[in-house]
Amino acid sequence: MRKPHKDYWKASQRKSEKFKQFQQKLGIQFNDEKLLKQAFTHSSYVNEHRKKPHEDNERLEFLGDAVLELTVSHFLFKKYPLLSEGDLTKLRAAIVCEPSLVTFANELEFGQLVLLGKGEEMTGGRMRPALLADVFEAFVGALFLDQGMEQVLQFLENIVFPKVNSGAFSHVMDYKSQLQELVQRNTKGQLEYKILKEKGPAHSKEFVSQVALNGDVLGTGEGRSKKEAEQLAAQMALMALRQQTE
């Protein structure tokens, strides 16, 4: 019969090897590996190993949440100089929400590294969305403490920001904002919206709008309000411009 301390030592060795491979994969070497392991330590694990000097990741999660908010806000502020505060807020919320963080965590296989108590493990905690999102925030917090903001930004530039650049979150921006951003990025031209006509009785009016870029009409739209007509015109313009670049 094997002694418990030998089993614990072997399990500890396996965990250390996993964390070593994880750092090699990311190209990040923690100065304090205790911080790295803490980021992946769930409270259920700590509760079952009270005789060992473990800390859970809840405080790191708190810090990582704030670091993510700041770094993503700064990135969006620079990338989209013409977006309103409201659109920036919606876009940031889509990037740092639980489903997005879970996607990032799964791509990096964070679930394989999480240290869980037996009960949490048996109930599928390793793949629980809220847990994975928390671990991603905790990892960012640990990375910030270990190596500072510059390394956090490098990590996000490899994992998160490319998805923003590819338009993965553009669905949360309205069509006018998307068109403005596309034009700003590619042509630097001037967009102009114009209501071409109003039709129908006062209680049921319809509006026809067009949007032009440097005088060239890109799209027209018809809606029950000026705002709706402009949005539909911007949608048509987006479709036309994207077809040109395909």
Side-chain angles (χ1 to χ4, degrees), residues 5 63 145 175:
H5 74 272
L63 177 61
L145 285 178
Y175 292 120

Side-chain angles (χ1 to χ4, degrees), residues 89-126:
T89 299
K90 285 190 290 185
L91 189 51
R92 181 185 63 194
I95 296 167
V96 302
C97 70
E98 181 180 297
S100 297
L101 298 185
V102 171
T103 297
F104 304 143
N106 281 332
E107 287 181 359
L108 296 170
E109 300 179 327
F110 274 17
Q112 295 183 16
L113 292 169
V114 181
L115 303 178
L116 294 173
K118 292 179 181 177
E120 187 72 27
E121 182 80 73
M122 290 175 65
T123 57
R126 191 169 297 279

